[in-house]
Amino acid sequence: MRRAKKVAIHLILLVLILLAGPALVLLSGRVDFDAQWSTASREPTGIAPDPAITPEAVVQVYGARTFAWRGAFAV
C-alpha cells in the first residue's frame, strides 16, 4: 500500500511539472487567442544561409509558436 501511494504521488508531481510550462506561457500573456493562422506573414525572414554563397550542405531546424491555445503547448 505504501508503494502504491508513493507511485501516485510521483505521477501527480510529474503531471504538475509538465503542466507548469504551458501554465506559465498562458499566464505571461504571450499567447494571442485572437490571431488566425491564415493571416500570418509568409515573408522570408532571412535566417537561412544564401544558397548562392553556401556550397556545403546545411541542416537547420526551425520552430515557431502555434496559434490560439495550442501556443501554450507547442512550438
Side-chain angles (χ1 to χ4, degrees):
M1 196 66 144
R2 276 177 64 124
R3 180 163 169 78
K5 187 175 181 180
K6 201 177 210 182
V7 169
I9 289 173
H10 281 102
L11 285 175
I12 290 170
L13 285 174
L14 178 66
V15 168
L16 289 174
I17 289 171
L18 290 175
L19 290 176
L24 289 173
V25 170
L26 286 172
L27 291 173
S28 72
R30 292 177 47 191
V31 178
D32 184 8
F33 289 103
D34 296 327
Q36 298 291 321
W37 66 268
S38 58
T39 61
S41 172
R42 306 261 187 317
E43 295 297 315
T45 59
I47 56 178
D50 184 2
I53 59 173
T54 309
E56 66 272 358
V58 176
V59 177
Q60 294 181 320
V61 178
Y62 301 104
R65 187 160 304 285
T66 58
F67 283 85
W69 62 268
R70 292 174 199 89
F73 294 93
V75 173

